[in-house]
Amino acid sequence: MADTGRVVAAYWAAAEARDWAAFGALVSEDVVYEAPQSRERVRGRAAYLAFNEQGFPGAWHLVVERIVSGDRDAASMVAFTDESGTQHGLCFFGLDDQGRISRITDFWPEPYEPPPSRAHLADRY
Amino acid sequence: MADTGRVVAAYWAAAEARDWAAFGALVSEDVVYEAPQSRERVRGRAAYLAFNEQGFPGAWHLVVERIVSGDRDAASMVAFTDESGTQHGLCFFGLDDQGRISRITDFWPEPYEPPPSRAHLADRY
């Protein structure tokens, strides 16, 4: 796994541990977080720490399922579990010259039923 | 961009062009496609070609927004537009020894409103 993958693995480990000091050390001072589904945007390390520490209370847990490590970017698939169940989270990361996470684009897809028109074209699991 | 990224770029270019011969040449004979949201699974090149060619009719278009290229894997973010609007598609890819796509995990997140409890922690765009 390339360095970018190790940074992303450490980011998720810090989040799971609620180790906000370690989490903060992995992101740039001017990190920008965006969630295209909700059109939420958070700018800067202090605001991003507050968003994570205060915005997601409760006894959630996450498991990293996959990390793709690029040269200066990465993507992750995590399974996030809380009292309402388990959901996939998909994140795309950009890293700065110091190897810190400077750009995060975050997606949280929900289950859906496929249209009957393509039922004969796929199995269900 | 690494070779994995070029393969994924060619995959999306072939889909956008409805060039199913080119599309099929980029995936393994035993490709496995999974959509965790709908729990759809398609096994094998012929079935996967039919799924794409017949399962998604109409005048859709897609634009590749980002590709993360790993050594043997990749991830992409595309903007997919049809008559109902534009939606992000996120895909994670695994490649075989011949550089063909052998594993595809596909997500289509929908817009949502964030909870009021974190409204003070993020801007909206």
Side-chain angles (χ1 to χ4, degrees), chain B:
Chain B
M1 190 184 289
D3 282 344
T4 59
R6 283 202 290 271
V7 172
V8 168
Y11 170 93
W12 288 121
E16 170 68 8
R18 278 71 164 172
D19 183 345
W20 303 116
F23 189 85
L26 292 162
V27 303
S28 301
E29 181 70 31
D30 59 354
V31 61
V32 178
Y33 166 92
E34 289 179 346
Q37 292 168 272
S38 59
R39 299 196 167 278
E40 289 171 288
R41 180 183 287 134
V42 182
R43 291 183 185 275
R45 183 188 285 146
Y48 190 55
L49 279 169
F51 179 75
N52 279 278
E53 192 168 354
Q54 299 167 34
F56 302 89
W60 52 263
H61 291 286
L62 62 83
V63 176
V64 176
E65 294 191 330
R66 216 175 304 180
I67 295 175
V68 178
S69 303
D71 286 339
R72 290 283 299 267
D73 54 6
S76 67
M77 184 192 308
V78 305
F80 177 96
T81 300
D82 65 9
E83 68 282 358
S84 62
T86 298
Q87 188 176 10
H88 282 104
L90 298 323
C91 263
F92 286 73
F93 298 93
L95 279 80
D96 67 17
D97 288 339
Q98 285 74 47
R100 285 187 295 246
I101 294 168
S102 56
R103 188 71 195 260
I104 304 166
T105 311
D106 193 25
F107 294 95
W108 294 93
E110 296 273 356
Y112 66 82
E113 285 299 304
S117 59
R118 67 173 193 249
H120 62 297
L121 297 170
D123 297 322
R124 302 294 296 279
Y125 65 94

Side-chain angles (χ1 to χ4, degrees), chain A residues 9-28:
Chain A
Y11 170 93
W12 287 121
E16 171 68 9
R18 279 69 164 173
D19 183 345
W20 303 116
F23 188 86
L26 292 162
V27 303
S28 303

